[in-house]
Amino acid sequence: MFILWSKLTDKKKRLKLEQSFYLNADVCQVAQDLLGKVLFCKSDGVISGGMIVETEAYSEKEKACHAYNGRRTKRTSTLFERGGTSYVYLCYGMYHLFNVVTNVNGVAEAVLIRAVEPVQGVEYMVRRRNARRLTPQLTSGPGKLSIALGIGKEDNGLDLSGEKVWIEEWGISPSVTEFGQTTRVGVDYAGDDAQLPWRFILKGNPYISNKGK
DNA sequence: GCAATGATTTACT
DNA sequence: GTAAATCATTGCC
């Protein structure tokens, strides 16, 4: 039995997250707090958004992170930005993965948004994905949700307090029993750090990506 | 139903 | 050259 959280929402309460939310030094705490928040992207003049149901935390202190051990390249430089900045990078040459940079300027930590439940602009998301209707597979994965929301490489390094990409608080407060915490997906190469339970989900939500159980 | 595979950029060996 | 924070399609049980 699962619950569609967006159906329980009091949609009158909509607050854009403040920068202080992203400056938290505990990236895992931010990753869990982002569950139930709503990610928006304005693309081609239309706004689409989805409630975050799955996240993963990454830190320069562990091997799965692109900026492990303080590694700085053209790609990872965004990770060192101040919290509240977007980090979008190309994975496997095809998919743009969307992350939220956390912590203060100079410390590379980020939260990967792995899955969302569509709540606004659904018809545009369906069209971008070349689908016929809304199904769980529309946004149940980091590559999929970027296509659905229209997020691309041009959205890398943006300030999340701006008008292009941002996150809102809708008063959705999952109880402790609805949180799930497991190991991250696709990071086997990270050795012992692949065992870190840094993946956070809203238990039972149909839009969670399947892999890595 | 499932595993194997291709698409294609970035970064490191 | 190879592997990567992936996904859709193909082909074989």
Side-chain angles (χ1 to χ4, degrees):
Chain A
M1 186 60 187
F2 55 80
I3 299 165
L4 287 173
W5 284 91
S6 57
K7 300 231 192 290
L8 302 177
T9 307
D10 175 4
K11 291 178 179 162
K12 281 175 283 195
K13 181 184 178 183
R14 294 181 55 158
L15 292 172
K16 192 180 284 194
L17 292 184
E18 313 234 354
Q19 188 175 85
S20 58
F21 178 92
Y22 305 106
L23 295 180
N24 193 325
D26 183 350
V27 65
C28 290
Q29 183 68 53
V30 178
Q32 179 163 304
D33 288 346
L34 279 171
L35 296 176
K37 304 291 190 288
V38 186
L39 170 66
F40 287 94
C41 178
K42 185 170 170 184
S43 180
D44 301 324
V46 298
I47 295 172
S48 42
M51 186 190 71
I52 298 167
V53 300
E54 178 178 354
T55 62
E56 284 180 4
Y58 287 87
S59 164
E60 65 183 46
K61 300 181 197 64
E62 48 87 21
K63 300 194 197 77
C65 185
H66 292 150
Y68 171 58
N69 213 10
R71 183 176 50 189
R72 253 180 209 267
T73 65
K74 188 177 175 188
R75 182 175 71 165
T76 65
S77 63
T78 309
L79 278 168
F80 292 87
E81 295 285 317
R82 188 191 53 197
T85 303
S86 66
Y87 171 50
V88 179
Y89 86 98
L90 195 61
C91 181
Y92 295 98
M94 303 193 93
Y95 298 102
H96 292 100
L97 271 55
F98 177 78
N99 300 247
V100 176
V101 176
T102 69
N103 215 325
V104 296
N105 189 309
V107 181
E109 293 189 332
V111 177
L112 168 67
I113 309 300
R114 286 194 58 85
V116 303
E117 173 184 328
V119 294
Q120 183 173 324
V122 173
E123 65 270 35
Y124 293 100
M125 299 168 102
V126 169
R127 191 183 309 168
R128 286 196 197 93
R129 292 272 292 130
N130 286 322
R132 305 199 48 187
R133 62 193 173 83
L134 177 63
T135 60
Q137 61 208 27
L138 202 73
T139 53
S140 58
K144 300 178 194 177
L145 75 87
S146 294
I147 298 170
L149 292 173
I151 293 172
K153 63 179 189 300
E154 70 278 8
D155 297 310
N156 183 43
L158 295 183
D159 187 334
L160 296 181
S161 63
E163 300 294 319
K164 179 76 166 65
V165 181
W166 70 96
I167 300 174
E168 291 183 5
E169 161 70 71
W170 277 22
I172 305 170
S173 300
S175 68
V176 176
T177 55
E178 274 100 28
F179 287 126
Q181 192 172 358
T182 67
T183 52
R184 294 174 293 182
V185 177
V187 295
D188 294 344
Y189 60 91
D192 292 343
D193 289 332
Q195 302 304 314
L196 291 171
W198 283 13
R199 178 181 180 221
F200 302 87
I201 61 175
L202 284 183
K203 232 184 271 181
N205 187 289
Y207 290 88
I208 292 168
S209 68
N210 299 322
K211 289 167 56 184
K213 253 278 117 88

